[in-house]
Amino acid sequence: MNTTTPSTPSWIRDAICWQVYPLGFCGAPRHREDLGGEGYGGADGENVVHRLRRLEGWLDHLLGLGANVLILNPIFDSVSHGYDTLDHRRLDPRLGDDADFDALIAACHERGIRVVLDGVFNHVSDQHPVARRAISVGPNSPEGAHIRWSGEHPYGFEGNPDLVELNLADSVVQDAIVDIMTLWLGRGIDGWRLDAMYAAGADAWAPILQRVRAAHPEAWILGEVIHGDYPAIAEASGATSITQYELWKAIWSGLREQNLFELAHALGRHQEFLDADGGAHPLTFVGNHDTTRIASQLTDGRDLAAAYALLALLPGIPAVYAGDELGATGLKEDRPGGDDAVRPAFPDDPAAAGTAAHPRATHPLEVLSADAAPRILEVHQRLFALRRREPWLSSAHVAVREGTLENTYAEIVLSARSSGEGDGGHEGQGESEGLGEGVVGPSLTLVLNLGEEARPAPGEVIEALSGADLLDGVGPAAPDMVPAHGIAVVR
């Protein structure tokens, strides 16, 4: 198994994340209205609206959920959605200014909350000064070398001409990215999410991250990677973690299609990743700012109980996309503005979530059921509390009992490691047959039941969730049973 190295931040071992898309969350307009001519954004202090501090009212909610890390999607000066950056050294004026940022960092750190920013360094807006200069002089020039080209035309990220890809192999670009990353780490953030890390590749990022991590060894570096060999990419680039999109897909697809064989296969892959060099700390999730909400993805809302349990208890670093803990709904669509429904505005008061939003919000937060929202939150709290009580879960060995696997039923064995990161295991249980060296257990078994009938639990039940109770408050599961469309955790 890959063990913690000196360059791995010590604090990520018990990290539970809450991810926010600030421009949407804070009710900012979708497009900047102050751009024009050769300048952008006006002079310092102009056109600034102090929306970022609205997040401060949700920090106690973050803690109450059981999280301790705040991941913020783009907050820097941009044209529209935040991924079309204009200036990485300046806060987007739709969110506020330096004072607003400093206040949020201080409020987080007072509560013991770590803060991670979204680093959109793969590409910039075509209005960014670097892109403008490069385009004006062409590819065969020192300035032109700062961006990527397709013949005589700037290379647009994923076919978007307004998103000009930077040339991360260029030393000037590398220096600028290192300067920006260390600037904000010096101002109090605790890590970076590297947007579209897959585009430039591991070799391009390696010299950049080597310098950043040398200066800030406790910084968490999370790379966005959709496909490929996740551990190899992390190991080659120097990233601490990679987004586990394979597992994300298998969770919603396996539950929606009642095909737990798909989930079992993905869990086998997940364990292979955990065992490989570079793969020990994947980011796990059931939704984010680029995906349809899990409550909209599943055709039977009762199966949300299984999705939440998988997120909370599987090894890795779990991230809750803000609103999912309340049953937020939203469909991601492949069209202009197709992300708006999954990037809604939130109310100032967490208690009003699902019943109120920013009064001028075009896309307010919507939830599956206002009545169910408190129960959904309480389920998240219970599951994350269980994870806190069993800290070895973050690095557990995961295996599916093949002999019991059905389309609608699975027993997922989570076993503590006998050494290294599995230091929370229960003594005296011995090694588990067939689970590999260094595994102590089984310690806990997560049982999923997507069927219409409750089933006897294969052990002592320490937690059980009924999907029907989650949605409609019909009452808890029967003792010693795995409820229909529900889960049980057994010892």
Side-chain angles (χ1 to χ4, degrees):
M1 177 184 177
N2 183 36
T3 57
T4 301
T5 65
S7 60
T8 299
S10 58
W11 57 270
I12 67 169
R13 291 176 59 176
D14 67 350
I16 297 174
C17 307
W18 193 60
Q19 179 189 349
V20 172
Y21 178 79
L23 289 168
F25 187 103
C26 297
R30 189 163 174 266
H31 294 282
R32 288 278 292 280
E33 299 174 353
D34 58 347
L35 303 180
E38 294 300 314
Y40 56 86
D44 287 345
E46 294 181 7
N47 307 311
V48 173
V49 181
H50 304 280
R51 295 183 173 95
L52 189 65
R53 293 196 181 190
R54 294 184 62 208
L55 274 167
E56 294 178 35
W58 283 79
L59 296 182
D60 290 336
H61 169 87
L62 180 160
L63 292 176
L65 173 65
N68 56 1
V69 180
L70 174 63
I71 300 178
L72 294 176
N73 288 120
I75 65 170
F76 300 128
D77 195 2
S78 67
V79 174
S80 59
H81 45 64
Y83 291 95
D84 44 6
T85 314
L86 294 168
D87 189 345
H88 292 90
R89 292 177 172 82
R90 182 188 182 197
L91 209 66
D92 194 302
R94 291 172 293 173
L95 293 175
D97 56 21
D98 282 352
D100 298 309
F101 173 83
D102 291 340
L104 178 61
I105 293 295
C108 286
H109 287 173
E110 286 170 3
R111 294 167 171 81
I113 299 170
R114 304 275 185 168
V115 181
V116 176
L117 295 187
D118 203 344
V120 188
F121 301 119
N122 179 73
H123 48 272
V124 295
S125 166
D126 60 354
Q127 298 182 52
H128 190 288
V130 170
R132 282 186 171 187
R133 286 194 295 270
I135 294 169
S136 69
V137 297
N140 299 315
S141 64
E143 292 87 353
H146 301 336
I147 68 172
R148 295 186 62 203
W149 295 86
S150 177
E152 296 296 314
H153 303 284
Y155 190 92
F157 174 65
E158 296 186 345
N160 296 288
D162 61 324
L163 301 178
V164 177
E165 287 208 11
L166 295 173
N167 177 15
L168 269 65
D170 181 75
S171 62
V172 174
V173 172
Q174 291 181 358
D175 289 346
I177 293 174
V178 171
D179 288 346
I180 293 163
M181 292 180 72
T182 55
L183 167 69
W184 292 98
L185 286 165
R187 290 191 58 181
I189 72 166
D190 301 281
W192 284 99
R193 172 193 181 271
L194 299 180
D195 181 66
M197 183 181 177
Y198 56 87
D203 290 344
W205 276 104
I208 297 170
L209 297 185
Q210 182 179 26
R211 294 165 63 186
V212 172
R213 297 186 72 174
H216 295 275
E218 280 292 289
W220 181 35
I221 306 296
L222 165 66
E224 183 193 21
V225 177
I226 312 298
H227 306 291
D229 187 338
Y230 298 155
I233 294 170
E235 181 76 0
S237 67
T240 322
S241 304
I242 298 294
T243 50
Q244 228 295 27
Y245 268 95
E246 280 193 21
L247 183 59
W248 160 78
K249 193 274 179 184
I251 289 174
W252 67 257
S253 180
L255 297 181
R256 188 175 75 178
E257 304 301 325
Q258 293 199 330
N259 180 10
L260 294 182
F261 287 90
E262 177 186 1
L263 177 62
H265 174 76
L267 290 175
R269 291 269 294 171
H270 190 57
Q271 184 57 49
E272 292 174 3
F273 295 156
L274 294 168
D275 285 336
D277 289 342
H281 308 287
L283 185 84
T284 60
F285 54 97
V286 296
N288 61 31
H289 62 295
D290 285 328
T291 68
T292 290
R293 293 277 187 175
I294 187 65
S296 295
Q297 195 72 266
L298 300 184
T299 52
D300 191 328
R302 293 176 295 176
D303 293 331
L304 285 168
Y308 299 150
L310 289 164
L311 174 65
L313 301 181
L314 288 178
I317 301 173
V320 177
Y321 183 45
D324 281 355
E325 75 278 16
L326 303 167
T329 58
L331 182 66
K332 158 86 171 183
E333 298 178 287
D334 187 16
R335 60 171 178 81
D339 297 315
D340 292 347
V342 299
R343 302 173 179 181
F346 281 57
D348 291 328
D349 184 358
T355 61
H358 192 284
R360 293 179 296 280
T362 305
H363 299 280
L365 176 68
E366 297 183 0
V367 298
L368 199 62
S369 163
D371 290 337
R375 290 191 294 274
I376 294 173
L377 175 61
E378 189 259 345
V379 160
H380 279 82
Q381 292 168 330
R382 282 163 54 189
L383 289 169
F384 284 131
L386 173 57
R387 186 184 183 92
R388 293 286 186 211
R389 293 195 301 272
E390 309 283 352
W392 53 267
L393 283 168
S394 67
S395 58
H397 183 283
V398 58
V400 177
R401 287 191 178 125
E402 298 291 341
T404 64
L405 182 61
E406 304 171 15
N407 280 328
T408 59
Y409 181 87
E411 296 179 5
I412 302 168
V413 181
L414 301 166
S415 303
R417 299 282 184 172
S418 61
S419 60
E421 292 180 326
D423 55 6
H426 299 280
E427 296 181 359
Q429 292 181 312
E431 288 198 359
S432 296
E433 183 177 355
L435 293 184
E437 295 182 2
V439 175
V440 176
S443 297
L444 293 177
T445 300
L446 170 60
V447 187
L448 310 183
N449 179 14
L450 308 184
E452 296 297 333
E453 301 293 333
R455 299 175 64 152
E460 175 195 359
V461 176
I462 63 172
E463 182 64 87
L465 301 175
S466 159
D469 184 45
L470 177 75
L471 293 187
D472 300 317
V474 299
D480 303 318
M481 300 294 286
V482 186
H485 290 277
I487 68 99
V489 181
V490 305
R491 200 186 295 282

